[in-house]
Amino acid sequence: MYSQKSTNKMRNLTSVTFLLSISALIVLNANRFSPISSWYDSISTPSKAITVVDSTESNAKLHQLTKPPEVLPTDLIYQTKTAFVIPEYKLIFFTFPKVACSEWKRMFMRMNDNNNWCKIRGFNAHDQKLNKIEVLSDYPTEMATAMMTSPVWTKAAVVREPKERVLSAFLDKAVKERTGTKGNENGGYYVRKCCNKIPNPDLKQECIDNEQDFQSFLFFVTKYRQKCFDVHWEAQVSKIDPKWWPYIDFIGHQNNLAEDGKKLLQTLTSTRDTVPNRTAWERYGATGWGNDNELCEKRPNGFLEENTSTHNINTGSHLLEWYTPEAERMVETNWAVEWQQKEIKFPEVHLFPDKGERL
């Protein structure tokens, strides 16, 4: 039996199909979701204020919309496997390669009581079968729509300044994983993913010969955009449909990662925590990262306060070592979509303001 409060709320629903879809799913997955009345309460109860890290125009745009969008099977956020859902904390988090995605996946594994969360050797946190983190496409589109449009659910993303992110991809995938290194004896990551796919033999060889040249890298991944496509240098804003960006109500930045991560976790409280009103930061972020398991990293500080990840590269301090005026122009032109997304205010980085000689 539903409570009178739940019954009154359900009378306000306009979509019978939505209700039937939820009911059917609950029956089939009784152990996965809470009872329908409490789940409906979770998407209809007025939410607490959410700290928005970036000064977005999201709220203003949402008020202007007369009809919320619907999640479609063809939507990018529904097709991707990087729109992570943490039901206990009513969180949908979008990760992007080269933006601390490994760290966030480990946090979500810990929040889900996956004991492998801290392992860095012999465990692939990116494998969905191993990390066991739910994604948006695990839910019916009607339910995904309700979650994406509900003020109770936090929709969050952390982004990275595009020039720094593109260079990070190059340093990691073309330099660090270059031909001849362990596991890359027959061709480095970038050579396999791009150079070897170039149809012109001469250009293919040129690409291989200049494997560690940043400007050559930019030329080939943009000239052969489809053949050289890779998520590590794909524009991060392209991972979320334009219609959904106004609904991302928490946008953090890589250059302020520890502070923004803490702010986000401090806004989240559990529906099942035995300690009332304890935030995700207090429960998981502040302590416990110095695990003694021999397979785990030893971190005495809180979440994201240090990054001892095996692939961590301090890219920001290397920008002028690799960029030229032409390279900066190429990134500004070919990744222009990043700066065109109005919901994001990237830190301004102008290495060569007049695009003249190197500073």
Side-chain angles (χ1 to χ4, degrees):
M1 293 292 292
Y2 299 127
S3 66
Q4 184 61 42
K5 178 180 179 181
S6 297
T7 302
N8 290 337
K9 287 181 179 178
M10 293 178 68
R11 286 174 181 167
N12 293 327
L13 286 175
T14 59
S15 174
V16 175
T17 303
F18 174 60
L19 278 175
L20 292 175
S21 298
I22 296 178
S23 301
L25 188 68
I26 300 274
V27 171
L28 293 174
N29 299 278
N31 293 327
R32 181 175 177 184
F33 299 106
S34 58
I36 186 169
S37 58
S38 62
W39 190 91
Y40 180 69
D41 284 345
S42 77
I43 64 170
S44 59
T45 305
S47 72
K48 61 181 181 298
I50 299 296
T51 300
V52 180
V53 175
D54 197 9
S55 56
T56 70
E57 301 174 5
S58 299
N59 292 336
K61 288 187 176 181
L62 290 177
H63 289 308
Q64 294 172 6
L65 296 175
T66 57
K67 181 180 179 182
E70 296 180 359
V71 173
L72 303 175
T74 54
D75 282 0
L76 294 171
I77 64 168
Y78 201 70
Q79 293 182 339
T80 185
K81 296 302 180 182
T82 56
F84 295 107
V85 179
I86 312 299
E88 181 179 350
Y89 284 88
K90 301 184 184 68
L91 172 68
I92 302 174
F93 191 99
F94 297 89
T95 63
F96 308 110
K98 312 310 302 173
V99 193
C101 60
S102 300
E103 303 298 300
W104 283 104
K105 288 175 185 177
R106 294 184 190 284
M107 167 57 80
F108 300 149
M109 289 170 61
R110 187 180 181 191
M111 293 169 73
N112 287 338
D113 296 323
N114 185 329
N115 292 329
N116 294 310
W117 66 268
C118 64
K119 294 181 180 178
I120 60 170
R121 293 183 293 275
F123 184 84
N124 182 8
H126 299 294
D127 188 330
Q128 192 177 6
K129 293 181 180 179
L130 297 177
N131 66 41
K132 299 179 181 179
I133 308 171
E134 294 180 356
V135 295
L136 198 60
S137 59
D138 289 334
Y139 296 76
T141 54
E142 296 89 347
M143 188 180 291
T145 297
M147 293 155 65
M148 283 296 299
T149 56
S150 168
V152 171
W153 281 73
T154 300
K155 283 74 66 175
V158 176
V159 297
R160 189 173 189 174
E161 197 286 320
K163 294 174 189 177
E164 182 179 321
R165 181 173 176 269
V166 172
L167 178 59
S168 176
F170 165 76
L171 292 176
D172 188 22
K173 300 303 179 183
V175 177
K176 183 173 180 288
E177 296 188 34
R178 62 188 179 277
T179 302
T181 56
K182 185 177 180 180
N184 298 295
E185 291 80 2
N186 297 319
Y189 184 97
Y190 162 62
V191 169
R192 299 193 310 271
K193 294 290 184 177
C194 181
C195 301
N196 289 345
K197 298 179 180 181
I198 296 173
N200 184 298
D202 293 335
L203 289 176
K204 174 181 177 180
Q205 190 60 49
E206 180 183 339
C207 180
I208 295 172
D209 292 343
N210 293 282
E211 179 182 11
Q212 297 181 60
D213 183 281
F214 184 46
Q215 196 156 312
S216 173
F217 167 85
L218 294 175
F219 171 78
F220 285 108
V221 300
T222 54
K223 179 177 177 62
Y224 297 96
R225 194 176 298 272
Q226 292 185 336
K227 293 184 180 299
C228 293
F229 175 83
D230 188 88
V231 295
H232 294 92
W233 48 81
E234 175 193 18
Q236 57 203 319
V237 302
S238 299
K239 304 283 283 184
I240 297 178
D241 310 85
K243 69 181 181 181
W244 291 116
W245 269 108
Y247 286 82
I248 309 301
D249 47 23
F250 191 103
I251 299 178
H253 290 268
Q254 174 88 358
N255 64 307
N256 199 41
L257 188 60
E259 182 178 341
D260 289 352
K262 181 178 180 179
K263 286 181 180 179
L264 172 62
L265 294 174
Q266 285 176 328
T267 69
L268 305 176
T269 54
S270 168
T271 56
R272 300 196 298 269
D273 193 352
T274 55
V275 179
N277 300 317
R278 180 169 58 169
T279 68
W281 173 257
E282 294 169 325
R283 188 177 182 184
Y284 297 113
T287 60
W289 292 85
N291 197 292
D292 292 330
N293 187 310
E294 63 178 7
L295 297 177
C296 297
E297 294 180 297
K298 308 300 185 292
R299 301 188 185 189
N301 299 315
F303 177 59
L304 295 175
E305 290 181 4
E306 59 180 321
N307 183 2
T308 55
S309 174
T310 55
H311 62 269
N312 179 42
I313 298 175
N314 185 17
T315 308
S317 63
H318 295 290
L319 289 176
L320 284 173
E321 293 179 22
W322 294 92
Y323 269 95
T324 63
E326 178 59 25
E328 185 173 34
R329 271 193 295 266
M330 293 175 72
V331 172
E332 289 176 348
T333 300
N334 291 285
W335 279 267
V337 66
E338 300 272 44
W339 291 279
Q340 292 168 359
Q341 183 57 55
K342 296 180 180 179
E343 277 71 27
I344 304 176
K345 306 299 181 186
F346 288 113
E348 292 190 10
V349 174
H350 302 292
L351 300 175
F352 307 97
D354 59 358
K355 296 298 185 287
E357 294 302 316
R358 182 186 294 273
L359 296 178

